[in-house]
Amino acid sequence: MTAGMSTASTLQTAARVRDGVKVYGTGHAAVTALAGLSVDFQRGEFTAIMGPSGSGKSTLLHCVAGLDELTSGSVFIGETELGLLKDRDLTLLRREKVGFIFQAFNLIPTLSAAENITLPLDIAGRKPDDAWYRTVVDTVGLGDRLTHRPTELSGGQQQRVAAARALVSRPEIIFADEPSGNLDSTSAGELLGFMEQAVKDLGQTIVMVTHDPVAASYADRIVFLADGEVVGELRDPTQDSVLDKMKQLGG
Amino acid sequence: MLKLAWKGVLAHKLRLGLTAIAIVLGVAFVSGTLVFTDTLDRAFSSLFDEINATVDLYVRGETEFSNEVVPIPAEILDDVKEVPGIGNAAGTVQGFAQFIDAAGDPVGGQAPTFGFSWVPGAEDLSVLTIKEGRPPAASDEVMVDAGTAAMNDFTIGQEVDVILVTGTERFEIVGFAGFGEEDNILGATIAIFDEPTAFRVFDSPGEYASISAVGDGSVALETLVDRVNDILPDGFEAVTAETQGEDDQAEFQEAIGFLNTALLVFAGIAVLVGGFIIYNTFSIIIAQRMKEMALLRAVGATNRQVTRMVVVEAVLVGLVASAIGVVAGVGLTWLIRSGFDAAGVGFPQGPLTIRPNTVIVGMIVGLAVTLFSAVIPARQAARIPPVAAISEATVGGPRSLRVRAIAASVLTIIGALVLFLGLFVAGSNVLQLVGLGAVIVFFGIAGLSPLIARRTARIIGAPLPAMYGVTGTLARENSVRRPRRTAATASALMIGVAVVSVVAILASSIKQSITEQITQNFGTVDFQIQSSAFADPSLVGVSPAVSEELATLPEVAVVSPMRFGLWKNEDDSERQLISVDPATLESVFVAEVQAGQVADLATGGVMLQADTAEDLEVGIGDTVTMQFPLTGTEQVPVVATFTGEGLSAYLIGNESFSERFSQKLDFMVFVNLADGVAQDQGRAAVEAVLEPYPNVELSNQAEFIENQKAQIDILLTVINALLLLAILIALLGIANTLALSIFERKRELGLLRAVGMTRRQVRRMIRWEAVITALYGALLGLVLGIALGWAVVSALSDEGLSFGFPYQLLITYVIAAAIGGVVASVWPSFRGARTNVLEAISYE
């Protein structure tokens, strides 16, 4: 463990970024995706990150999740500073402390739904906690489809399997990148409801990138980005308040 | 479309590049073989031309036998000299002569060890030239070819021992000779004596191997040849130097042709294996470009145009790779020649011979294989419907396997039938039929293999989940998710392993038969003496002086020398025979005499193996038509028949052999000790006699068996070395398929990395996938190889071959294949582990 700040506030923080700068390319072709932003994600909270295309929301998610590196600044998951980790330690950190839900291609086609759910644990060579596994699986509501391969599941079911996979290893934090982006509104509602429930009932921490105000309204808190900087925040949003805020920021 | 095809090639440089390597290697083998043999051929043809340039005509025996010289009586030379119009004529004496080096080891032996006579005053009429020093002029002088001299640090004035048919003698080296311009010809050693010495040490008094002559210019060459022919006795003829040159050339080409064919067979196997790789690569690339093809169809390309585009891509790849292959083949030959030179084997100098044919054949082979292999993928491409461009689902999934199963089964059965025909029915073209049958079976099994790939690979990979958890499960599942691809990849290795296994089984069967035959049929023999070099039995052997000396030893009771000869049957094809000492045969060779008397061999008759007598439908008192080098065609009476293996189907007596053949060396000498003489005591006595003959080795029964086995092992090693290329290409195929699959699964790998799979685990997963594929191919090949090997051995059981199963060697091959899989996975697994997570999971 790195000797980080151990104030009361950091105990509440699942992940944080300090002065995060991310520049792609060099010279004239250089594009600044993150312009020195700082943000905290609280434990047990469902945070949505919103912003127009090119605002840096996906870059932010990738950097906090340890999938990409900042050009400068620092990222912490819990008390661990990611910038100091080698690939192997970073991989282990993702395995132990982070869960992922991507927009598409979340599942390994050769594994059954159940095997996909326990994949991170299996990779780590750990046994799932039976009671917890059952809780997660029950919440996902796949029933007898657990032994099916991903190709035999609907898009909504696939995303719920992905969510269950993210939950089953009890990570410190789950990152979701447009998880409902490819789903119809009913399936999207089911998935987002499930995520909301995971935070409320199971105490999970979730950070979700989305551009959909409906999806964002499920969150406890919304962070708005533009041009690589945090430009606004909204607590306990509703669809209307999100739209208002977007209009306000856009105008 | 050409432009599109060209762009297609450029866009898939890396993937097609790996395919190209398979073509390059195969074509390089083919064209290298051609360049190699053509270069030899031309070098010798120019050598013959050079030799014959100063000679007008030759006198020779009328019948031609490989490696047998028909001696020409010295009187004929005198008569030829008297023919009006002859300017000069000279005879050359030829025989066996092998040098012993400073360490006491024999020089050469694998390559021929020739002795010649020097003809003073007729240098123009001889092949030999003086490179240094002077020609031999006394009975204790010898000249050696400059190449052998250089290799063995022989110096002029040095004394050297030479093994001869009359015994080993010491000579003083007085000069170095060349063979035309060359210092040495392919490692053959040459010892040159003056004529009287040559007559004596070659044990051919008053006999020449050849007579060459020049005219005095007074008459036309044809007239001169006619005049000489008029005075020659029956059995001899005069021919122009040109005819002799052509005949020498033809004989040489026949020998080269055999080498050429043998090498081309191995090249063919490599090309066949390469074909599977190419087919597979094109199939995979087309599957990966489905969207692109569908888009082309959607914007109006006909399916014929799509097919054509793929075919043109194949042509472009084939052209480039074949061209590189031809160049690589030339480079390969150059390397081999340098290797020969370094080993001191005189490979003719001068430029490598690259005939237009070599380039054409190389290009055609490369192009044809590429095109042929791309046909099915091209048709697959044409079947992609335009809707695939916009649809998410994978269109055109696996087609009915039933059609495939039926077609492949039929093919397999046809192949098996052809094999059966070749092995058990056909009397001629056996090798061609067996080869063709095997190739058809390979294709059939390759076609059937996707049907069992999934199940078999699951079984092979069964222990993996227990060993490596989900990493192992994924490796196993990945290896079976595209059964066709796995099967095609494995098929390439299957062919290689099948051929290697057949060779191993044959070798093992031969070894086992040798052991059985020696213990059964030579069980009473104490010692056996044979050339230590594993070479043509016409060219090496035991000096008869050895038997003579051994017979005088008090410790020795029986000395039974045997000789080896080639005769021709009524169809003019060469057959082998062994000559034996009728008086001692039964004390060294335990055979059941079915009819007749062995002793009657002394009358000039032949003793036949019972099966052969049955085939020929002859019995005691009947005759067999046999043509011999010295005596021509004879009706040889059958004096006895026997059952037993290990010698030859035809046995004649030693005395009649000397009349019928010019071979002066014993092939084998069997020795039994006198009663009461201990083995080691007897051995010491025999070894003392053999001391001057380092070219032969003494062995008791156990050693004899081991020696014979060792010779088979040498052959096995050579064949395996030649098959190595095919195996390498097959492993390249695994690497290629794997790399392409990794590319396809980029997202999946990215996801695995994102959820916490370490690079090491990714590498392990890919490595085991390769191992499963390799093992699947190896096991298929093993099963096929065992079946084929069993069939071949059964077919040869008449020849006394019994099935030997080299299970240790076969297990080694399977393990080697698995290791090969690991090696093949190095690069793909490195690439896979380096998958950029972000790139893999991002989507537009």
Side-chain angles (χ1 to χ4, degrees), chain A residues 98-117:
Chain A
V98 179
F100 288 98
I101 309 168
F102 299 111
Q103 180 176 358
F105 207 85
N106 260 307
L107 307 179
I108 301 297
T110 44
L111 300 179
S112 69
E115 285 170 326
N116 264 293
I117 291 175

Side-chain angles (χ1 to χ4, degrees), chain A residues 68 87 94-95 103 106 123, chain B residues 751 753-754 756 761 838 843:
Chain A
D68 202 355
D87 179 77
R94 285 201 299 268
R95 184 197 276 176
Q103 180 176 358
N106 260 307
I123 289 174
Chain B
L751 177 65
R753 292 279 290 129
Q761 285 174 310
L838 271 186
Y843 18 75

Side-chain angles (χ1 to χ4, degrees), chain B residues 482-535:
Chain B
R482 305 254 178 171
R484 278 159 204 260
R485 194 179 287 181
T486 306
T489 311
S491 294
L493 190 59
M494 170 190 83
I495 295 174
V497 172
V499 177
V500 171
S501 305
V502 169
V503 172
I505 287 171
L506 267 178
S508 160
S509 300
I510 293 172
K511 283 200 257 182
Q512 180 162 322
S513 311
I514 286 172
T515 311
E516 284 170 9
Q517 285 167 15
I518 291 175
T519 42
Q520 277 171 23
N521 298 112
F522 300 93
T524 58
V525 175
D526 286 326
F527 292 110
Q528 187 265 356
I529 300 163
Q530 199 172 11
S531 162
S532 51
F534 179 37

Side-chain angles (χ1 to χ4, degrees), chain B residues 294-650:
Chain B
L295 184 66
L296 280 175
R297 296 274 285 115
V299 299
T302 62
N303 50 14
R304 183 174 296 188
Q305 279 174 311
V306 171
T307 307
R308 202 180 303 151
M309 185 184 79
V310 176
V311 168
V312 170
E313 278 188 33
V315 169
L316 291 173
V317 173
L319 273 178
V320 173
S322 306
I324 299 174
V326 170
V327 174
V330 175
L332 194 72
T333 318
W334 185 83
L335 270 179
I336 291 173
R337 183 161 77 171
S338 309
F340 271 49
D341 285 347
V345 178
F347 194 100
Q349 295 303 309
L352 294 172
T353 307
I354 304 159
R355 287 189 303 145
N357 243 357
T358 304
V359 178
I360 294 169
V361 169
M363 292 301 290
I364 287 180
V365 166
L367 253 185
V369 170
T370 317
L371 261 181
F372 187 72
S373 310
V375 164
I376 297 175
R379 293 181 55 89
Q380 283 167 357
R383 268 198 299 268
I384 297 171
V387 68
I390 40 165
S391 145
E392 263 301 316
T394 318
V395 188
R399 282 183 304 131
S400 159
L401 282 176
R402 176 180 292 198
V403 179
R404 185 193 189 99
I406 293 169
S409 304
V410 169
L411 207 58
T412 310
I413 292 166
I414 291 175
L417 281 178
V418 174
L419 258 174
F420 181 83
L421 214 69
L423 288 174
F424 298 100
V425 183
S428 55
N429 296 331
V430 170
L431 286 177
Q432 284 88 335
L433 282 173
V434 170
L436 181 70
V439 170
I440 298 175
V441 169
F442 285 150
F443 277 109
I445 300 287
L448 285 172
S449 139
L451 303 174
I452 54 165
R454 205 182 280 264
R455 207 169 302 159
T456 318
R458 279 235 172 85
I459 294 170
I460 296 170
L464 287 178
M467 285 160 70
Y468 299 115
V470 74
T471 312
T473 311
L474 285 169
R476 192 188 62 184
E477 293 306 309
N478 284 340
S479 71
V480 299
R481 68 203 279 185
R482 305 254 178 171
R484 278 159 204 260
R485 194 179 287 181
T486 306
T489 311
S491 294
L493 190 59
M494 170 190 83
I495 295 174
V497 172
V499 177
V500 171
S501 305
V502 169
V503 172
I505 287 171
L506 267 178
S508 160
S509 300
I510 293 172
K511 283 200 257 182
Q512 180 162 322
S513 311
I514 286 172
T515 311
E516 284 170 9
Q517 285 167 15
I518 291 175
T519 42
Q520 277 171 23
N521 298 112
F522 300 93
T524 58
V525 175
D526 286 326
F527 292 110
Q528 187 265 356
I529 300 163
Q530 199 172 11
S531 162
S532 51
F534 179 37
D536 183 345
S538 319
L539 296 174
V540 296
V542 187
S543 302
V546 169
S547 305
E548 286 162 26
E549 283 182 59
L550 287 175
T552 64
L553 290 180
E555 291 90 346
V556 169
V558 176
V559 179
S560 188
M562 297 187 183
R563 286 188 185 178
F564 172 89
L566 294 173
W567 57 280
K568 286 183 185 172
N569 66 10
E570 281 177 308
D571 303 330
D572 218 33
S573 56
E574 283 187 343
R575 293 272 182 273
Q576 303 180 350
L577 64 72
I578 297 272
S579 85
V580 297
D581 174 20
T584 54
L585 177 67
E586 285 173 289
S587 48
V588 293
F589 180 56
V590 183
E592 190 186 329
V593 177
Q594 281 199 324
Q597 296 292 326
V598 177
D600 288 348
L601 280 176
T603 63
V606 64
M607 177 158 149
L608 297 178
Q609 203 169 37
D611 295 339
T612 308
E614 209 171 293
D615 288 347
L616 296 173
E617 295 174 352
V618 292
I620 309 297
D622 294 334
T623 58
V624 181
T625 309
M626 300 173 86
Q627 193 189 356
F628 300 111
L630 300 193
T631 52
T633 305
E634 285 183 49
Q635 299 299 323
V636 184
V638 177
V639 296
T641 58
F642 69 99
T643 54
E645 306 283 351
L647 286 175
S648 168
Y650 298 83

